[in-house]
Amino acid sequence: MSFLGLENKRIVLFGVSNRKSVAFRVSRVLEEAGAEVWWGVHTKERRTELKRHLDPDRLLVCDFEAAEGAEGSPEHAASQVPGPVHGLVHAVAFANYSRGAQPFQHTVRDDFLQAVDVSCYSLVRLARAFQGQLACDGSVVTVSISTTRMAAENYGYMAPVKAALESAVVFLAKSFSAFGEVRFNAVAPSLLKTRSAAGIPGYAESYMFAEKATFRKRGVTVDEVAHTAAFLLSPRSSGINGQTLVVDAGMGSNYFDQELVQAALRGLS
């Protein structure tokens, strides 16, 4: 048995968008560890694109805005996966940035509520849909961000939405503890090079700053996040529940780095 102890464990990942996405990379780590992996994608078109790389018999369409129980809904996706399910990965998020970066008070209500529905409530809905299939010691992992307390103007209203997601993790951990030992945790990376992140206004500049702010002067990789998620899915992390595990290469502790301070002062002169 490997260190992770995931051989023959059935794990379902939602939010697979392309081969560079977090969910896709997590699935590769899990397969290397011997797990049986299922994938959830947003549309039939995305399923067609990915079935060249993934087993089509285990490739599900799941739209978190679909009506409950309808074809393509989380409930329908859950009905297609045999139990027991030992792990779920929720790597689902959406924000409408078509208007560009806006002052926070000008956040559009419909955009905010859609982001909460797709990026946060979807975890609650997913947990409920799979409740009857989850192994009593299963693990559910979602993807947050390294900090929800920093007012990054270009990220906008998604930071409060991710804060709600992290709170939902704790409440789900508590409610599921009434009938088993299913664990809920979040992996929280700093800025990553992914296609979805590229849609955030001004992301390239923020990413370059984030690289400079790490202790090692190098950004966090998607594979590093995938390895952390795999650990949280494994029995090796059995004592971790209701937590957010930050993966930022020290960025959050290094804002007074001499190089950054000097660069900021040069900009003021």
Side-chain angles (χ1 to χ4, degrees):
M1 181 179 289
S2 69
F3 171 78
L4 290 176
L6 289 170
E7 287 84 356
N8 302 314
K9 301 292 187 181
R10 183 174 294 118
I11 300 175
V12 192
L13 301 97
F14 291 87
V16 181
S17 56
N18 55 70
R19 287 185 292 170
K20 293 185 177 180
S21 65
V22 171
F24 188 95
R25 297 307 305 163
V26 174
S27 76
R28 286 299 186 236
V29 176
L30 295 175
E31 287 181 316
E32 290 170 6
E36 177 191 308
V37 180
W38 293 63
W39 304 268
V41 299
H42 183 222
T43 63
K44 291 179 180 178
E45 290 75 20
R46 189 57 51 85
R47 183 182 186 277
T48 300
E49 293 172 7
L50 288 171
K51 68 181 183 180
R52 294 176 296 168
H53 310 289
L54 306 174
D55 184 346
D57 292 333
R58 287 187 264 134
L59 194 51
L60 313 167
V61 174
C62 183
D63 180 357
F64 284 97
E65 293 185 279
E68 188 163 339
E71 184 178 356
S73 67
E75 297 78 19
H76 183 255
S79 71
Q80 299 177 71
V81 183
V85 172
H86 302 91
L88 293 175
V89 174
H90 172 272
V92 180
F94 176 78
N96 179 13
Y97 287 117
S98 63
R99 297 175 178 84
Q102 299 286 326
F104 188 73
Q105 70 271 25
H106 293 303
T107 300
V108 176
R109 180 176 184 271
D110 287 347
D111 290 347
F112 188 88
L113 294 180
Q114 183 185 30
V116 171
D117 186 25
V118 177
S119 309
C120 175
Y121 181 70
S122 57
L123 176 63
V124 181
R125 188 174 177 185
L126 190 66
R128 184 172 64 245
F130 277 89
Q131 179 176 329
Q133 294 153 267
L134 280 169
C136 64
D137 59 349
S139 176
V140 180
V141 176
T142 188
V143 180
S144 186
I145 55 175
S146 58
T147 175
T148 59
R149 300 290 298 168
M150 183 177 297
E153 293 171 296
N154 58 329
Y155 198 56
Y157 59 87
M158 274 301 290
V161 172
K162 289 291 189 179
L165 176 67
E166 292 181 14
S167 182
V169 164
V170 177
F171 277 81
L172 285 166
K174 175 62 176 178
S175 62
F176 270 66
S177 70
F179 49 83
E181 297 185 7
V182 177
R183 298 178 294 114
F184 288 81
N185 293 292
V187 56
S190 56
L191 286 72
L192 299 171
K193 284 184 178 179
T194 62
R195 289 184 188 176
S196 56
I200 300 172
Y203 189 83
E205 292 85 353
S206 296
Y207 179 85
M208 289 188 286
F209 174 80
E211 281 198 308
K212 295 292 185 181
T214 66
F215 288 137
R216 67 191 187 187
K217 306 299 181 184
R218 179 166 52 84
V220 171
T221 68
V222 175
D223 281 344
E224 287 173 323
V225 180
H227 293 149
T228 305
F231 167 70
L232 289 174
L233 288 164
S234 79
R236 294 293 188 179
S237 62
S238 59
I240 303 175
N241 196 8
Q243 301 297 314
T244 296
L245 195 55
V246 174
V247 183
D248 71 350
M251 182 185 76
S253 303
N254 198 36
Y255 290 118
F256 286 96
D257 177 82
Q258 186 175 13
E259 181 182 344
L260 292 177
V261 172
Q262 291 176 344
L265 290 175
R266 284 196 298 272
L268 294 173
S269 61

